[in-house]
Amino acid sequence: MSTPHRPAPPPLPPAPPAGPGSPQEVPPLPGTFPVDPATLPDAIRAEIEAPDPVALDTAAAELKDGLNRCPKCGATDIRHKPGSDLLVCLYCRNEWVGARVEEEFGLGVGLDQLRGTVIASGARAIDADVASLMTFKCTGCGAEVMVNTESTMTARCHWCRHVFGVNEQIANGAVPDAVLPFHIRKDDAIARIRQFVGKRRMFALKAFKEQFTPENVVGVYLPYMIVDGNASAAVAGKGEILTRTYTRGTDKNKKTYYDADVYQVERQVDFTVDDLPLESSAERGNFDTKVNTQNIINTILPFDTKNAVKWNASYLAGFTSEKRDTDVEQLHPRLEDQLLSIARAQVEGSVRRYDRGVRWEQERLDVHGTRWVSMYLPVWLYSYHQPGSNGGLLHYIAVNGRTGETMGSVPVQQWKLLLAALTVGTFLEGIALWIIWAGS
């Protein structure tokens, strides 16, 4: 009897390729993460499971071709009306105001409902490969108009005089979501800077006084991220309540002692932040006082960001601007520092009974949700370079372009300060000696 023929088993599938360039080196597709997140450390699991950023589109479709047309006559020669939020047509003199982003996109509501990361379209990650040169095709004559976003945001067609502005939110950080127009005029800013310096002329450097020309002040729009947040924080530490004060010793050997009860203090707070400003320029965010004094810009805060309008390049005519070069991810550490400071301030009122103070030893911050909007804020800047070692020091005087708040740095003659200190010290010492003599 013959044995029935059995078919050969199918060949085994080939082993998957390994080594450089193999599929194992390719990031997994969304939803196919090969490791169970529950087995990972908390910090890594939280980052993996965090929802992707939600985009909030703030682009103005009607301005995409670069032309901002007067709603009354259609002309494109539009300017910002000084001292107001209005735009004015230089042809028919029609005036109108841009839509406020707060109302247009509902940015002032639902803060306690924020979850994850919401990023407006003008605050998206910067693409380093995107060029700074923008080219527009003039619909009036067909000529090409080029705008270099490194130095300006508007240009005029030299054939038909159409005015173009960069209103499309390109990925190089040049176009924000909103702009807060200047209210303080240049002559007002000059007067405020002159008054600020006048109060400090006595100790000012001679070269500075000779070269001081406040007329050289420049109106500049500085890039900021305006952040809304929903967070919780917990702090723990030691608080002390004074129970007794007493002195021991005699005459010059007297020493004061303090007794206090020590308590373990814990606080937890849920809070929201509305329109928290963060510098989104790496240069302006550098607070190294050995190089410059530009950190004075923080001293002229706050700005009334609630009145910011939708981005429109026409507001920048006649002013300079700086491009944003910092992304949301890079600003997260600074945001968390700010939120922790806010949390400490929130619980401060509940620990006043600890009259010897509270030393916080542990802090935890949970950020439930944030919303990021890129915005230009108006500042009048006057600068002066003081020669010296390591390149010298760059001094700034800044004027808030909305409120007029003024602060700055004036280079001083060190010997004048020293002489004044010695004079005051000698005077006070003389008064003290007289009091001692009169009481003896």
Side-chain angles (χ1 to χ4, degrees), residues 66-77:
L67 293 174
N68 179 28
R69 297 177 177 83
C70 171
K72 184 176 181 180
C73 72
T76 62
D77 202 353

Side-chain angles (χ1 to χ4, degrees), residues 138-150:
C138 181
T139 57
C141 66
E144 289 191 344
V145 179
M146 188 172 293
V147 180
N148 185 351
T149 60
E150 292 285 356

Side-chain angles (χ1 to χ4, degrees), residues 123-142:
R124 292 172 300 183
I126 298 170
D127 185 350
D129 294 331
V130 177
S132 295
L133 295 177
M134 293 286 294
T135 302
F136 296 94
K137 188 80 169 179
C138 181
T139 57
C141 66

Side-chain angles (χ1 to χ4, degrees), residues 124-355:
R124 292 172 300 183
I126 298 170
D127 185 350
D129 294 331
V130 177
S132 295
L133 295 177
M134 293 286 294
T135 302
F136 296 94
K137 188 80 169 179
C138 181
T139 57
C141 66
E144 289 191 344
V145 179
M146 188 172 293
V147 180
N148 185 351
T149 60
E150 292 285 356
S151 56
T152 184
M153 299 300 284
T154 59
R156 186 189 293 271
C157 176
H158 55 279
W159 294 106
C160 68
R161 311 302 289 169
H162 267 325
V163 178
F164 289 84
V166 181
N167 292 301
E168 183 180 357
Q169 288 173 332
I170 51 180
N172 68 359
V175 179
D177 300 290
V179 57
L180 187 63
F182 275 87
H183 268 197
I184 299 297
R185 299 169 182 262
K186 183 174 182 177
D187 54 355
D188 189 358
I190 292 172
R192 291 171 186 271
I193 293 172
R194 194 181 296 279
Q195 182 183 41
F196 180 87
V197 172
K199 295 179 179 179
R200 295 157 178 82
R201 289 188 68 88
M202 180 180 295
F203 300 106
L205 201 67
K206 182 180 178 182
F208 172 79
K209 290 189 288 187
E210 292 173 347
Q211 300 170 22
F212 176 60
T213 49
E215 291 75 17
N216 291 340
V217 63
V218 175
V220 56
Y221 281 101
L222 298 181
Y224 276 76
M225 287 287 195
I226 306 301
V227 188
D228 297 334
N230 176 23
S232 300
V235 292
K238 299 288 193 305
E240 297 184 2
I241 296 179
L242 184 66
T243 57
R244 187 168 64 123
T245 303
Y246 53 95
T247 303
R248 288 180 177 173
T250 57
D251 299 330
K252 294 183 179 180
N253 295 321
K254 287 183 179 179
K255 200 170 186 179
T256 302
Y257 294 86
Y258 303 90
D259 287 348
D261 290 336
V262 181
Y263 298 86
Q264 177 69 23
V265 182
E266 297 180 1
R267 294 290 186 271
Q268 196 277 335
V269 61
D270 300 322
F271 63 99
T272 60
V273 294
D274 188 11
D275 284 9
L276 177 67
L278 298 176
E279 296 93 347
S280 56
S281 163
E283 182 181 356
R284 296 297 172 190
N286 177 16
F287 297 147
D288 184 0
T289 55
K290 296 179 182 178
V291 179
N292 59 55
T293 64
Q294 65 188 18
N295 57 326
I296 52 92
I297 294 174
N298 281 330
T299 65
I300 62 172
L301 296 175
F303 287 85
D304 55 328
T305 51
K306 296 293 181 187
N307 292 316
V309 297
K310 287 178 61 178
W311 169 254
N312 190 317
S314 297
Y315 282 105
L316 270 67
F319 299 100
T320 61
S321 61
E322 292 186 1
K323 283 171 57 176
R324 172 175 68 90
D325 59 7
T326 308
D327 289 332
V328 168
E329 185 177 350
Q330 296 165 290
L331 290 171
H332 262 294
R334 196 181 305 171
L335 171 65
E336 291 177 355
D337 286 343
Q338 294 271 9
L339 292 179
L340 270 176
S341 297
I342 293 171
R344 295 187 203 105
Q346 290 280 313
V347 303
E348 184 178 345
S350 69
V351 296
R352 288 177 181 162
R353 63 186 297 259
Y354 301 99
D355 51 11

Side-chain angles (χ1 to χ4, degrees), residues 9-29:
L12 295 173
S22 67
Q24 287 90 334
E25 289 198 339
V26 179
L29 295 173

